[in-house]
Amino acid sequence: MAKKQFKAESKRLLDLMINSIYTHKEIFLRELISNASDATDKLYYNAMQNGETGFNRDDLAIVLTIDKENRRLTLSDKGCGMTRDELESNLGTIARSGSLAFKQGVESTADVDIIGQFGVGFYAAFMVASTVEVLSRAEGSDEAFLWKSNGADGYTVEPAARAERGTDIILTIKENTETENYDEYLEQYRIQGIVKKYSDYIRYPIRMEMTKSRVKEGTGTEDTPAEYEDYQELETLNSMIPIWKKAKNELTDDDYNHFYKTKFFDYEDPLCHIHTSTEGAATYNALLFVPARAPFDYYTKDFEKGLQLYSNGVLIMDKCADLLPDHFSFVRGLVDSADLSLNISREMLQHDRRLKVIAGSLEKKIKSELQNLLKNRREDYEAFFKSFGRQLKYGAYVDYGAHKELLMDLLLYHSSTENKLVTLEEYVSRMKEGQKHIYYATGETVAKIELLPQLEMLRDKGYEVLCLTEDIDEFCIKMMHGYKDMDFKSIADNDLDLETDEEKEQIKKLSEENQPVLDAVKEALGDKVSKVQLTGRLKSHPCCLTTKGGVSLEMEKVLAAQNGESSPVHAERVLELNAGHAIFEKVKALQAAGEGEKLKAFADVLYTQALLIEGMPIDDPVAYANEVCSLLV
Ligand code: ADP
Ligand code: MG
């Protein structure tokens, strides 16, 4: 059976094209400039093929002209131009790309940067123009033609005149409507801004006559007040050279820093940069920077992560979030890939598999650069960690710890013995013989942690303890479970298991002897604690609180701060008493003498003090003060 061709309602198709492909109307300029650049590239390529020299990219400028009075915006190029047939087929057939055909015909090593491939970009002009005229004279021809269209109605082509080879795209800008402002496309600063935003790295100069103002000669002196006059100046709007496409050995740190500061509006040099180009599953150039400091809104909802995404030097998206995982959201920079097409919508782009491949490989590169920094520029890394460590910890915690393997090596904690920030790797590498866990303590500040009674015994044994002072810390540690086969253990854990067998035996014996005392204290405290026991972990302190199970006092505190009083999560508390302390003797005597009331006061005060030491809120400060007084008199 003979196959039939689909028919298309070209009017409807064009309408769809004009109104649905692009989210922003300003994109039309990017598309037209890209076409002009392609046409110039083709000319340049053909000239080289024919052995013609004497072409200089600088002479092949793309020129923009604004004619406010007639509502006209004109784009002129000195490119290859189009013949009558080409005007008909390239601009008369939707989705026909002369550029794609050209690209397929050139040698793969050719120095061309062809952008077009879909054959739809040109129609973006109708988003802002009521009439589009294309006056073109093809390379090697002395005839010119004028293509003209008002949009969906179709087009005409007729002979015309043009002095030189090349193309003028003449847009008659639409009148403003109630909801749309089209006048802005006749404002020189607006046009300048759009060029800078999307087409800054087009390799040919994009120039525009700018109207500027200056003080009239002879005025502005002591006796004549300043008068101003307008004058015209041809200005190049784009910077042309995408530094990420240059070879690394051509660039200095200063080049990178300067680029970073102007491009990303930072006044400080970045801490480091990553410049890579990769071929393979996805071919791309990337230039990434780690800022020296977190932007003021970094830890707020307003912060928007993402890298700039370019296709052949033309900006497609300003903040492409999918290129950066949350844990590295502080990275600034850009990715340029010829694989990604300009004309597809954001929504489609987000599902592009190549984007995921790029994101995955960038993640690895960022990690290895951070590890380099950690290894070779420790002080800088610590400064970095001060700004962004919280984000890394958060990254290790979220998604049920899915990223912990990637991030653990990058974390730093304050060490009780080294008195500085250390990595988990460093901790594990110097663990003491017989040490079973990576110990950590939690508290508001390092100074407060150092005062914790529980720390005494670890200090005696010479064990290093990591001091955790941020609210995310313990949640993150619990999610990570351990590091290199060593698990994490809180020094406030009830089964700290630090005593020798001998010490354990001794405590067991003492506990049996003093069971009635321990029972009495437990009874006095009621539900406040789940257990009262003797401990070997204290030296000079009479008592401390420890917890059993997954929730610690510190976590309870954090959750309560987040959820208010109604927080349903409570730590299971154990009051541990030091049998060697004089206070214990007192309690023992009270129990023996049957002084129940006084014993209760003692128990309450000891418990409340333990809470205070842990930095926990106490239920009734007045009752506590009264009880202390009653014991003093
Ligand atoms: P694409 O750029 O993706 O090919 P466009 O719709 O933007 O699609 O353009 C269609 C075709 O029209 C181009 O492929 C090119 O052949 C031709 N064209 C557009 N603008 C110009 C120009 N300024 N000079 C020469 N040819 C052009
Ligand atoms: Mg195009």
Side-chain angles (χ1 to χ4, degrees):
M1 227 191 295
K3 249 191 199 153
K4 292 198 171 178
Q5 289 285 307
F6 285 111
K7 292 194 190 80
E9 277 282 2
S10 57
K11 276 189 191 183
R12 300 274 304 274
L13 195 58
L14 189 60
D15 205 43
L16 254 172
M17 203 74 67
I18 296 166
N19 297 310
S20 321
I21 290 198
Y22 303 107
T23 13
H24 301 296
K25 290 199 160 48
E26 65 186 27
I27 293 284
F28 81 93
L29 194 58
R30 173 188 86 180
E31 293 299 327
L32 296 181
I33 289 176
S34 298
N35 285 351
S37 166
D38 281 355
T40 315
D41 245 5
K42 289 174 206 169
L43 175 92
Y44 195 79
Y45 174 79
N46 291 340
M48 296 295 133
Q49 288 301 92
N50 301 334
E52 287 171 49
T53 48
F55 274 112
N56 183 339
R57 285 193 205 279
D58 202 49
D59 301 333
L60 297 173
I62 297 162
V63 177
L64 299 173
T65 318
I66 295 172
D67 172 0
K68 261 193 185 170
E69 223 166 292
N70 297 303
R71 298 189 72 78
R72 279 184 163 187
L73 175 65
T74 304
L75 238 118
S76 305
D77 66 59
K78 294 182 178 169
C80 63
M82 282 177 275
T83 61
R84 179 179 201 135
D85 280 355
E86 283 168 338
L87 279 169
E88 296 247 2
S89 61
N90 292 338
L91 305 184
T93 320
I94 296 168
R96 157 81 133 267
S97 171
S99 294
L100 181 63
F102 177 84
K103 194 156 41 177
Q104 285 159 349
V106 306
E107 289 161 25
S108 59
T109 52
D111 181 24
V112 290
D113 239 346
I114 299 292
I115 302 160
Q117 54 176 321
F118 280 103
V120 296
F122 170 77
Y123 303 101
F126 289 105
M127 291 195 294
V128 301
S130 51
T131 306
V132 177
E133 289 162 276
V134 181
L135 174 62
S136 195
R137 180 168 149 191
E139 189 185 357
S141 160
D142 43 19
E143 297 178 290
F145 293 91
L146 180 70
W147 181 101
K148 186 172 175 179
S149 168
N150 300 323
D153 288 347
Y155 61 91
T156 56
V157 183
E158 59 192 58
R162 195 180 194 277
E164 280 181 282
R165 165 212 78 226
T167 306
D168 300 311
I169 311 281
I170 306 145
L171 308 181
T172 306
I173 300 295
K174 292 181 187 174
E175 296 290 340
N176 281 351
T177 65
E178 260 176 38
T179 50
E180 288 292 342
N181 173 14
Y182 293 103
D183 285 357
E184 58 182 282
Y185 303 115
L186 294 164
E187 296 297 338
Q188 60 178 8
Y189 291 111
R190 176 75 171 115
I191 294 297
Q192 183 184 35
I194 302 175
V195 171
K196 198 83 193 142
K197 179 168 177 190
Y198 296 102
S199 309
D200 201 28
Y201 304 107
I202 290 291
R203 43 158 59 177
Y204 300 96
I206 302 167
R207 301 208 167 108
M208 182 162 67
E209 284 279 357
M210 303 278 286
T211 306
K212 299 182 176 178
S213 179
R214 68 183 163 206
V215 177
K216 241 185 193 165
E217 220 171 298
T219 70
T221 57
E222 258 175 44
D223 22 61
T224 35
E227 281 178 44
Y228 293 88
E229 62 179 2
D230 282 351
Y231 70 102
Q232 304 283 319
E233 193 174 77
L234 195 63
E235 206 173 295
T236 300
L237 308 180
N238 57 333
S239 54
M240 286 177 276
I241 303 158
I243 85 162
W244 61 90
K245 284 199 177 169
K246 286 191 175 178
K248 280 191 220 176
N249 56 17
E250 279 177 40
L251 295 162
T252 62
D253 277 348
D254 272 353
D255 294 331
Y256 286 115
N257 294 348
H258 176 74
F259 176 79
Y260 168 77
K261 286 190 283 195
T262 46
K263 183 100 193 159
F264 298 104
F265 311 110
D266 199 342
Y267 57 92
E268 257 183 297
D269 284 342
L271 264 189
C272 57
H273 66 260
I274 304 169
H275 185 185
T276 93
S277 51
T278 310
E279 312 228 335
T283 302
Y284 68 88
N285 291 299
L287 183 51
L288 312 182
F289 299 91
V290 176
R293 227 179 282 264
F296 71 94
D297 63 347
Y298 185 61
Y299 289 105
T300 71
K301 280 198 217 74
D302 294 335
F303 179 78
E304 218 187 311
K305 67 163 184 172
L307 298 177
Q308 288 193 329
L309 183 60
Y310 288 83
S311 171
N312 265 337
V314 181
L315 182 71
I316 320 186
M317 214 192 268
D318 194 32
K319 283 202 169 152
C320 182
D322 293 337
L323 284 171
L324 274 184
D326 282 342
H327 42 265
F328 293 150
S329 59
F330 46 82
V331 173
R332 319 279 316 257
L334 56 94
V335 172
D336 190 352
S337 172
D339 285 351
L340 298 166
S341 18
L342 259 178
N343 289 308
I344 52 177
S345 69
R346 258 163 201 257
E347 289 70 25
M348 276 165 69
L349 196 62
Q350 270 154 16
H351 297 117
D352 195 300
R353 200 183 49 82
R354 282 163 299 188
L355 215 57
K356 291 206 176 72
V357 174
I358 297 175
S361 95
L362 289 181
E363 183 183 52
K364 289 198 199 86
K365 294 205 162 100
I366 296 168
K367 170 166 180 187
S368 94
E369 187 58 32
L370 290 176
Q371 275 180 308
N372 273 345
L373 198 63
L374 174 61
K375 208 168 119 206
N376 305 318
R377 290 163 57 194
R378 180 73 173 221
E379 229 171 272
D380 286 340
Y381 187 82
E382 287 182 14
F384 154 80
F385 197 79
K386 235 192 199 125
S387 297
F388 302 111
R390 197 179 158 69
Q391 189 67 9
L392 297 181
K393 291 172 186 170
Y394 188 72
Y397 169 71
V398 294
D399 297 341
Y400 302 99
H403 319 288
K404 62 182 183 185
E405 293 305 329
L406 179 91
L407 299 172
M408 275 198 284
D409 291 321
L410 298 174
L411 302 181
L412 296 179
Y413 296 100
H414 182 93
S415 153
S416 65
T417 50
E418 304 294 304
N419 214 8
K420 62 175 192 196
L421 292 170
V422 300
T423 64
L424 294 172
E425 163 87 56
E426 286 158 1
Y427 182 105
V428 168
S429 72
R430 57 173 168 250
M431 276 171 68
K432 286 249 162 356
E433 177 98 25
Q435 184 178 342
K436 291 182 231 152
H437 311 280
I438 300 173
Y439 294 104
Y440 70 87
T442 55
E444 236 172 279
T445 61
V446 171
K448 283 195 182 171
I449 289 174
E450 281 176 342
L451 298 173
L452 286 177
Q454 294 96 319
L455 206 62
E456 282 189 310
M457 185 159 181
L458 284 111
R459 209 179 260 135
D460 271 8
K461 292 199 184 276
Y463 287 168
E464 186 171 359
V465 176
L466 302 176
C467 304
L468 276 44
T469 53
E470 281 194 286
D471 49 9
I472 179 78
D473 277 336
E474 197 170 14
F475 292 90
C476 172
I477 284 265
K478 295 232 156 155
M479 191 55 87
M480 296 194 292
H481 294 299
Y483 180 80
K484 294 209 169 148
D485 296 335
M486 287 292 159
D487 65 343
F488 294 112
K489 189 123 197 118
S490 164
I491 66 160
D493 214 30
N494 180 244
D495 61 351
L496 191 56
D497 194 20
L498 269 181
E499 300 92 344
T500 59
D501 288 344
E502 208 178 311
E503 285 165 335
K504 275 185 203 156
E505 199 48 47
Q506 201 189 344
I507 290 197
K508 195 169 160 220
K509 219 175 106 220
L510 266 175
S511 299
E512 279 162 10
E513 284 168 21
N514 291 296
Q515 199 53 51
V517 188
L518 298 175
D519 288 346
V521 176
K522 165 75 179 100
E523 204 188 305
L525 293 175
D527 287 342
K528 288 178 191 157
V529 293
S530 71
K531 200 175 169 192
V532 175
Q533 68 181 50
L534 292 182
T535 182
R537 79 173 83 199
L538 295 174
K539 298 273 176 270
S540 58
H541 291 264
C543 65
C544 70
L545 272 177
T546 61
T547 55
K548 274 183 157 165
V551 183
S552 70
L553 286 174
E554 192 61 28
M555 291 164 85
E556 178 181 316
K557 205 156 52 177
V558 173
L559 292 170
Q562 281 168 5
N563 304 322
E565 301 248 310
S566 62
S567 170
V569 189
H570 289 286
E572 190 183 336
R573 298 147 202 238
V574 176
L575 183 67
E576 300 199 8
L577 298 173
N578 179 359
H581 198 280
I583 287 278
F584 188 72
E585 290 304 321
K586 271 254 161 92
V587 178
K588 214 165 140 178
L590 290 173
Q591 194 267 330
E595 292 207 51
E597 206 135 302
K598 200 153 188 200
L599 185 137
K600 181 166 179 344
F602 264 78
D604 276 343
V605 168
L606 286 175
Y607 171 74
T608 313
Q609 281 182 348
L611 277 180
L612 286 172
I613 289 172
E614 293 294 334
M616 295 295 287
I618 55 176
D619 292 340
D620 189 346
V622 177
Y624 169 68
N626 287 342
E627 251 165 355
V628 173
C629 283
S630 77
L631 295 177
L632 290 177
V633 291

